[in-house]
Amino acid sequence: MKISQTKQSSSIIKYFLIFLILSLPLFLFLVTLQPGPRRAAGGTKTPTKPGFESSDLRIRPGYQSYEAYVQRQLNKTLNPKLRQIWTTRDWERKIKVFSRFFSELKNQSLLFDNSKALCIGARVGQEVEALRRTGVADSVGIDLVPCPPLVVKGDFHHQPFDDATFDFEFSNVFDHALYPEKFVSEIERTLRLGGVCVLHVALSRRADKYSANDLYSFEPLVRMFEKSDLVHVRKIDGFGLDTEVVFRKRQ
Ligand SMILES: *[C@@H]1O[C@H](CO)[C@@H](O)[C@H](O)[C@H]1NC(C)=O
Ligand SMILES: *[C@@H]1O[C@H](CO)[C@@H](O)[C@H](O)[C@H]1NC(C)=O
């Protein structure tokens, strides 16, 4: 009896060890899936600043590399059906709405006819066209895919512009940023002192399947815009985006 019990427990230990050894590869595989320090645009590591990724700003998991992320973004931007809709059915309708937003910003002295303006993630450039029609002649957009003459090629994680280039920057694609703190620091870098940044974001509903982050309040934006003051936050109705957040870079 004693002997068979010892035998039994030694075989339990044996099976346990075999189980451990067999599960080691699975364990190692799961460890590699954890979100470690990701690679930013240009292959450099983004400094991980604690506090930006929080319960009210969550980065969507699943991007194995920056290249995979860019490929997914390109998939939406290059979709021929979407581009067709953006340049036809959506064109005048969206320009009308953007023009009203820009007209309001001009009335609040946040945007001027002589402002040098940038639209970030502008796709086919509806917002750039709206700015120009509103009287802001010196306006341009950037996106991963250029769309001349309104939109030039540029990654919002690495804006292709010198420091202090713009008086005004607008974007409604914050949710597409894989590195939100880089998205914001690039805006603050290319804005002139006193320059204004207007973001249209979705706080109460989730954006589309191409989004790379989810934002649940404007607080993370206030933390990230380190060199700017909050001008206003207001509810809007902007193509599924419900909140306008405006910052001004400190003098
Ligand atoms: C891009 O879209 C095509 C079809 O539209 C799909 O087959 C492919 O998996 C997509 N690639 C990525 C990286 O999402
Ligand atoms: C901005 O002000 C102008 C002139 O006062 C006015 O005609 C226009 O309706 C205003 N625009 C908006 C969107 O409030």
Side-chain angles (χ1 to χ4, degrees), residues 98-111:
F98 281 128
S99 297
R100 200 182 63 239
F101 284 130
F102 294 137
S103 167
E104 283 167 5
L105 291 165
K106 283 174 88 171
N107 285 2
Q108 295 166 307
S109 298
L110 294 167
L111 174 66

Side-chain angles (χ1 to χ4, degrees), residues 209-229:
K209 61 181 175 141
Y210 294 93
S211 300
N213 70 67
D214 290 292
L215 185 66
Y216 296 89
S217 87
F218 66 89
E219 295 297 340
L221 294 173
V222 175
R223 288 199 293 275
M224 285 186 282
F225 274 87
E226 292 173 331
K227 298 175 183 163
S228 310
D229 295 318

Side-chain angles (χ1 to χ4, degrees), residues 13-167:
I13 289 172
K14 197 172 82 189
Y15 285 125
F16 181 67
L17 283 175
I18 290 172
F19 168 77
L20 269 188
I21 289 165
L22 288 181
S23 58
L24 195 63
L26 178 67
F27 174 74
L28 289 176
F29 173 70
L30 288 176
V31 164
T32 63
L33 286 186
Q34 295 305 308
R38 292 191 208 84
R39 301 218 142 243
T44 50
K45 265 186 188 162
T46 36
T48 35
K49 292 188 199 168
F52 290 143
E53 219 175 312
S54 58
S55 60
D56 46 7
L57 172 59
R58 296 196 201 124
I59 308 302
R60 293 196 182 172
Y63 290 111
Q64 298 296 323
S65 67
Y66 193 69
E67 289 67 34
Y69 156 78
V70 167
Q71 273 312 312
R72 182 153 174 78
Q73 296 300 315
L74 284 176
N75 227 6
K76 178 173 184 182
T77 306
L78 286 173
N79 184 319
K81 259 194 202 152
L82 282 178
R83 284 189 98 75
Q84 168 79 11
I85 292 171
W86 292 336
T87 51
T88 55
R89 198 187 72 197
D90 271 4
W91 184 253
E92 285 301 325
R93 183 172 71 91
K94 292 219 170 175
I95 288 172
K96 199 173 145 206
V97 175
F98 281 128
S99 297
R100 200 182 63 239
F101 284 130
F102 294 137
S103 167
E104 283 167 5
L105 291 165
K106 283 174 88 171
N107 285 2
Q108 295 166 307
S109 298
L110 294 167
L111 174 66
F112 302 90
D113 282 350
N114 63 359
S115 296
K116 188 171 171 61
L118 173 68
C119 297
I120 297 161
R123 313 257 189 235
V124 295
Q126 293 145 343
E127 50 271 69
V128 183
E129 177 66 17
L131 274 170
R132 291 184 182 183
R133 287 192 200 173
T134 320
V136 186
D138 195 358
S139 322
V140 72
I142 53 167
D143 209 313
L144 291 171
V145 180
C147 188
L150 299 175
V151 180
V152 301
K153 185 175 162 63
D155 181 346
F156 53 53
H157 289 119
H158 255 280
Q159 285 192 22
F161 303 109
D162 291 336
D163 297 357
T165 300
F166 298 101
D167 303 296

